[in-house]
Each structure stands twice: as C-alpha cells, then as structure tokens.
Amino acid sequence: MKPGTAPAPRSVRRVLIASTIGTAIEWYDFYLYATASALVFGPLFFPGSSAAGGVLASFATYAAGFVARPLGGLLFGHFGDRVGRKSMMVWTLLIMGIATFGVGLLPTYDTAGVLAPVLLVTLRVAQGIGIGGEWGSAVLLSTEHGPPGRRGFFSSWPAMGFALALFGSNLTFVLISGLPDEDFLTWGWRLPFLGSIVLVGIGIWVRLGIEETPEFVRGRAENRPARVPVIMVLRRWPRRVVIGILASLGTGSVIAMFTVFLVAHAAEAGPQVRSTVLTGLMIAALGECVTLPVFGTLSDRFGRRPVMIFGYAVSVAAMIPAGAWLSSGDPTLVALVLVPALTIAHGAIYGGLAAFLVDLFPTMVRFSAIAVTYQVGVTISSFWPLVAVAITGDASSLLPVVALFAVVQMTAAVAVACAPDSRADADLVADPAGERRPVGRAVHGEIGDDR
C-alpha cells in the first residue's frame, strides 16, 4: 500500500473480519484456561492443599498469564511500532495456539508430581505473552483502518471477538461438564484445549491475507521510528499512561470478578448451580456481541468518557447482589447479575476503551503505548480472584469484596473523566504542548529525534 492510499472497502472488511476472528480464537484459548482454573485445575494440579488452597493456587496460575501480558505487549508493541501491525497478529496467534494445545497434553500432579504445575504455569506465561501482543495488533489494525468519526465502531469489532470467545469457552465447558465427574476430570477437560489448534490454523490463514494499516504506512513514510517507543511514551505522556492504566484496570476488574471469582464462588453450591452460571455467562456474552458495536457507535457520537463512566457505574450496581444471586442457582437472578455486568457494563466500557486509548497517543508509538496502559491495567485486575479469596476466606459474606470493587471502579471512572475529550469525528491527538493535530501527522521532532 502506498502512503496516503485509502484501503478498498473489501480490504477493510477483511481486516475487520480477520481481527474479530483472530481475537475470538486467542481469547477463547485464554478463557478456556480461566474457566478451567475455576473448575478443574485445583484438584488436578494442586491436590495437596485444602479446597480453598487449591482454588487459590489455581487462581495464581490464572494470574501468571496476566503478569506475562505486559511483557508480550512491550515485545510485540516495540516491533509493531517499528515494523508494522500485521506480522505481529500472526505471531501472537501462533504462540497462543501452541501454548493452549500444550495445556491439553499436560500430565497431572498424580502422574508427574511438582513438574505438572510447573509446566502449567510455563504454558500460562506463554499464553500471556501471546495475548499481550494480540490485543494491540488487532485493535490497531481495525481502528487505524477506520474513517474519521467511526473509530469507536471499528474498534468494537475485535472487542466482539472477546465476547464470542467468552461464549465459546463457556459453551465448551457446559457441554463437557455433562460427562461423569471421573471422565470430566480424567480426559474431558482436555478436549477444548486440544481442539483449539484447528481454530488457530483457520485464524492464521485469515490473517495472512490482510493489509497493513494506511495510518501506519503513512506514518512510517513521514517519520523515522523511535528507537525505543515505550521510553518515549513514558517520558512524554506519563499522565496519559496513568489514565490508560486506571481505565483498563476498571475494565479488567469486571471480567476477573464476574467470570472467574464469582463463577468459582457460585460453583461451591453444586454442579447444577455451576451449569446455570456458565449458561448465564454464555447468554450475557452473546448479548455483549450486540451491545459492543452499539456502545462503540455511541462513543463516536457522544464521546468515550460518558459511555465508559456509565459502564463503570453499572458494574458496581451489578456487583452488589452478585454473590447471593449467582449462588442461588435461580436462572432469573443469575441473568439479572450477568446481563447488566457483561452485556451492559462491560459492553459500555470495552466498546469505547480501544478508541479511548488510541486517541491518547500518536501513531508511531501507539502500539507500545497501549501495551503499557491496557496490559498493565488488566494485569493488576487479574489479581482480583486472589485478593477476593484472601479477603473472604471461609466467610459467606462478600461485602468487603464489593466495597473494594466499588472503590476501584470509581477510581477508573475519575481517571476517564480527567482524560482529554476525544471523539472519532475529530480524529485528533495532542502533542506534548497540548496542540491538537491530525493523527498520523508528526509533531515536529516528535518521533525522529528519539534516536
């Protein structure tokens, strides 16, 4: 693609489809692990502890994948800013697919002893590295192909991949959880991990046919890339980095609480409740596939800030009755928690988040910037299950957890409120002096001087 050449509509459609499908596959792999950590990994890989200790250790391996995400984000962000977005999408999917397939082949603690959890953590870290680079490449490919005034809508496409993955991973476990417990714990849980390799092959094939973003091609023609983009980001836009981290922390906290900790908390009430909650997650995830582009479009029309702040507020309201209502196993009460939490709250936050972060930083350091902000924020949020289990212990009341969750979401909302008001119809970013210029146009000396 020549600099300044607008991509053909067919090319743009292929990019949107590729980013959505690839993101769905990678998040499917990632959340297979999340669901398994709440349901099966405790007894299989940490059998020597108490029931609570096994869940705690299992959640620690879940968090390990998130700890590796900033590393993956920085690694792929560096090359994504210097080489391009497209090639990073292929590599991240390949790493993620191999690691997930490997989880399905692992021996359990009864077979391999302490080696089993060590291998589990190793593969989880590899997953984290892959997903750490995936989000940025998919988001930038879709958003930077978007026309002025529609960045929020375009960025919602890879977000829909996340919702599809949440639906697919939970559907898979709903289906296999119908097996007798002995079969489920012996070989049934492995099937989703092994079968994902087919999806990865499809995703790589789709992604190989897409074009680089015109914004990056134009930026590379006009500017020398920064030697170390992340250093430039941290030095020139520290306030925006903090805002992005806090906004992402609020986003990730919704997922960590409602799809991991609360699922495990409700599952203690029995297999029937577990099945009902997983079904509720599937319904809410399907609903989010519809609401994500709606909220993305609303963020184009009214700005990212009010849409995202609305989402943070709804997530807190849904959290208040969540523990009791999910544990009841009543399908109506389960839906009244998960639909507001995921379909509405997470849809509103996540539907505008990518465009919100993209708007904060210039093109040629943008991949590294969103790697720092988004990946660090969601990594911190991944410790929610660990913190929640430590706070509650054997107590049935989740009030301390609800209160802490509310504080985190309020902090995220305040951070978003303090951000520059950006709308995709302006399609602008701010330079270090506060002057607003078109995205893709270099501020004098902004990129090339950092060599």
Side-chain angles (χ1 to χ4, degrees):
M1 181 185 297
K2 294 181 180 180
T5 302
R10 182 177 179 182
S11 174
V12 173
R13 286 195 296 271
R14 185 180 179 94
V15 166
L16 292 178
I17 292 171
S19 62
T20 304
I21 291 176
T23 302
I25 293 170
E26 293 212 45
W27 278 114
Y28 169 80
D29 287 353
F30 201 72
Y31 277 104
L32 277 181
Y33 193 105
T35 306
S37 71
L39 301 179
V40 299
F41 283 165
L44 291 178
F45 290 89
F46 308 98
S49 354
S50 64
V55 171
L56 198 61
S58 181
F59 283 166
T61 67
Y62 165 78
F66 280 87
V67 171
R69 285 174 63 164
L71 175 61
L74 291 174
L75 173 65
F76 290 105
H78 177 82
F79 291 103
D81 281 330
R82 292 183 61 86
V83 178
R85 306 357 181 164
K86 173 186 170 179
S87 57
M88 300 303 105
M89 291 184 74
V90 176
W91 279 107
T92 58
L93 186 56
L94 186 62
I95 292 172
M96 191 74 183
I98 292 173
T100 302
F101 184 77
V103 171
L105 298 175
L106 284 180
T108 62
Y109 189 91
D110 287 343
T111 303
V114 72
L115 179 63
V118 170
L119 291 174
L120 182 67
V121 171
T122 301
L123 291 176
R124 181 57 173 176
V125 168
Q127 278 193 325
I129 291 173
I131 204 70
E134 155 62 25
W135 190 83
S137 58
V139 160
L140 291 181
L141 267 165
S142 58
T143 306
E144 291 180 353
H145 272 90
R150 302 195 70 194
R151 281 181 180 262
F153 173 74
F154 272 62
S155 71
S156 69
W157 278 72
M160 281 191 284
F162 159 81
L164 289 170
L166 185 60
F167 169 81
S169 62
N170 281 285
L171 174 62
T172 302
F173 270 93
V174 166
L175 294 175
I176 65 174
S177 64
L179 293 169
D181 283 348
E182 183 177 353
D183 292 340
F184 176 70
L185 292 175
T186 302
W187 54 267
W189 68 271
R190 299 179 183 273
L191 298 180
F193 293 94
L194 297 174
S196 69
I197 198 68
V198 177
L199 299 177
V200 171
I202 295 172
I204 290 176
W205 176 75
V206 170
R207 287 187 166 187
L208 286 173
I210 61 177
E211 296 181 357
E212 186 57 82
T213 75
E215 195 169 312
F216 177 80
V217 172
R218 183 171 63 248
R220 184 168 53 186
E222 295 176 352
N223 307 283
R224 292 177 298 170
R227 180 177 299 170
V228 185
V230 69
I231 292 179
M232 174 179 281
V233 169
L234 294 174
R235 189 177 69 233
R236 297 198 177 184
W237 297 282
R239 178 174 174 271
R240 296 186 178 207
V241 168
V242 173
I243 289 173
I245 289 173
L246 292 175
S248 303
L249 170 61
T251 309
S253 295
V254 177
I255 296 302
M257 290 304 297
F258 286 92
T259 71
V260 182
F261 170 73
L262 288 172
V263 170
H265 179 77
E268 294 174 359
Q272 185 60 44
V273 173
R274 177 184 66 190
S275 178
T276 301
V277 172
L278 291 178
T279 302
L281 282 175
M282 290 163 47
I283 294 171
L286 281 181
E288 191 173 1
C289 290
V290 176
T291 59
L292 278 167
V294 172
F295 284 118
T297 302
L298 289 175
S299 77
D300 287 333
R301 176 67 179 84
F302 300 106
R304 322 293 180 213
R305 296 187 300 179
V307 173
M308 293 174 66
I309 291 171
F310 166 77
Y312 293 128
V314 174
S315 72
V316 174
M319 183 65 189
I320 293 171
W325 287 11
L326 292 180
S327 297
S328 71
D330 184 319
T332 301
L333 294 179
V334 169
L336 287 175
V337 168
L338 296 178
V339 170
L342 299 179
T343 304
I344 299 175
H346 191 257
I349 304 167
Y350 204 47
L353 177 68
F356 173 82
L357 296 177
V358 165
D359 289 341
L360 291 177
F361 303 99
T363 304
M364 297 305 292
V365 295
R366 186 175 286 154
F367 201 145
S368 297
I370 66 175
V372 171
T373 55
Y374 180 75
Q375 300 302 343
V376 171
V378 296
T379 295
I380 297 172
S381 74
S382 72
F383 288 92
W384 258 116
L386 286 168
V387 172
V389 170
I391 290 175
T392 57
D394 296 328
S396 58
S397 174
L398 298 184
L399 184 59
V401 175
V402 173
L404 186 56
F405 179 80
V407 170
V408 170
Q409 298 305 87
M410 288 173 59
T411 303
V414 170
V416 169
C418 293
D421 188 15
S422 56
R423 305 187 187 193
D425 57 354
D427 199 23
L428 299 169
V429 296
D431 71 7
E435 180 182 353
R436 294 176 68 77
R437 300 175 182 267
V439 170
R441 298 285 300 277
V443 177
H444 178 65
E446 179 181 337
I447 302 299
D449 287 352
D450 189 57
R451 289 181 65 83

